[in-house]
């Protein structure tokens, strides 16, 4: 194992994941959901804390792993989370309850994000997490940047898509979409961006313009 691989493994194992989040992770895997890794979860908690987030939007509820990390970082925040799979949201709701999160702090919307996002107000959220259908990642990020306030954060999970984005030999549509997103962001003057290699990659954008 190379030094970089050892460092990546060490960083992945560094966060201490609470019991309720560990249970939600297990439920995610049972449902065939690919949750964010503990290292990515911890970064999401840091982003939520650093922005003093009060209003968080999550595109892709899953079984609640990422939502738990976000709310851990922002104990005064309300989480609005969208997912088309009601069964997944039921698991997430139970995960929030198990973690002692008040029901009023989590608003679960069942529906397609492509239908829900256009109805959301501009600049209404401190932090937006995109962790849903990768085929729609470009649309989700566009909406996320509209919905986030100036100075707010948009985070995109799985931005390196299973290590395939960095491999020039990989050219499927999902990889192409993530590469197009990264290329667009790199040239944008409306955001300050960083790409973390934690987990499956976490793209972090601070909205600096309109």
């Amino acid at each position: 194992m190379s030094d970089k691989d050892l460092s990546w493994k060490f960083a992945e194992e560094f966060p201490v994941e609470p019991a309720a989040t560990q249970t939600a992770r297990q439920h995610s895997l049972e449902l065939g959901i690919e949750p964010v890794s503990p290292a990515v979860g911890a970064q999401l908690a840091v982003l939520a804390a650093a922005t003093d987030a009060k209003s968080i939007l999550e595109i892709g509820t899953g079984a609640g792993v990422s939502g738990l990390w976000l709310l851990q970082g922002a104990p005064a925040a309300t989480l609005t989370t969208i997912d088309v799979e009601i069964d997944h949201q039921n698991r997430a709701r139970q995960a929030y309850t198990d973690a002692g999160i008040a029901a009023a702090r989590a608003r679960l919307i069942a529906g397609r994000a492509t239908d829900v996002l256009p109805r959301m107000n501009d600049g209404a959220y401190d932090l937006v997490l995109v962790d849903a259908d990768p085929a729609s990642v470009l649309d989700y990020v566009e909406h996320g940047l509209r919905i986030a306030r100036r100075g707010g954060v948009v985070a995109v999970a799985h931005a390196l898509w299973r290590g395939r984005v960095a491999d020039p030999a990989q050219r499927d549509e999902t990889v192409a979409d993530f590469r197009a997103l990264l290329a667009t962001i790199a040239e944008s003057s409306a955001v300050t961006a960083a790409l973390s290699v934690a987990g499956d990659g976490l793209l972090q954008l601070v909205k600096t313009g309109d």
Side-chain angles (χ1 to χ4, degrees):
M1 185 176 288
S2 69
D3 290 345
K4 285 186 177 181
D5 288 338
L6 284 171
S7 295
W8 180 88
K9 184 175 184 294
F10 185 85
E12 283 295 323
E13 295 174 351
F14 173 74
V16 178
E17 197 161 57
T21 310
Q22 292 180 28
T23 299
R25 181 175 300 282
Q26 183 59 42
H27 289 161
S28 297
L29 298 175
E30 291 169 358
L31 291 166
I33 301 167
E34 189 173 346
V36 298
S37 74
V40 171
Q43 287 194 18
L44 294 175
V46 168
L47 290 173
T51 55
D52 191 24
K54 299 297 189 296
S55 185
I56 300 174
L57 174 65
E58 179 183 46
I59 305 168
T61 309
V65 173
S66 49
L68 288 172
W69 275 112
L70 289 164
L71 291 173
Q72 179 178 325
T78 299
L79 173 70
T80 299
T81 180
I82 307 166
D83 204 298
V84 72
E85 298 288 347
I86 295 176
D87 288 347
H88 295 178
Q89 288 200 323
N90 287 338
R91 288 293 186 99
R93 184 179 286 106
Q94 185 60 54
Y96 304 151
T97 299
D98 292 345
I101 294 168
R105 292 188 60 207
R107 175 189 176 212
L108 288 83
I109 301 175
R112 295 185 182 279
T114 50
D115 296 330
V116 176
L117 291 171
R119 302 198 298 267
M120 294 190 152
N121 294 331
D122 294 3
Y125 290 89
D126 301 308
L127 173 57
V128 178
L129 172 63
V130 176
D131 186 13
D133 177 17
S136 299
V137 67
L138 294 168
D139 287 339
Y140 293 159
V141 172
E142 183 177 357
H143 279 294
L145 288 170
R146 176 183 61 79
I147 291 165
R149 63 168 171 81
R150 185 187 289 263
V153 170
V154 176
V156 185
H158 306 292
L160 292 174
W161 195 244
R162 301 168 182 168
R164 296 167 67 88
V165 170
D167 182 354
Q170 304 298 328
R171 300 184 180 182
D172 60 75
E173 287 189 18
T174 299
V175 169
D177 285 344
F178 275 111
R179 286 179 182 152
L181 170 63
L182 293 171
T184 300
I185 290 301
E187 297 175 355
S188 174
S189 61
V191 299
T192 299
L195 177 60
S196 167
V197 297
D200 195 24
L202 182 68
L203 179 62
Q204 302 158 76
L205 312 173
V206 178
K207 182 178 176 180
T208 55
D210 296 319

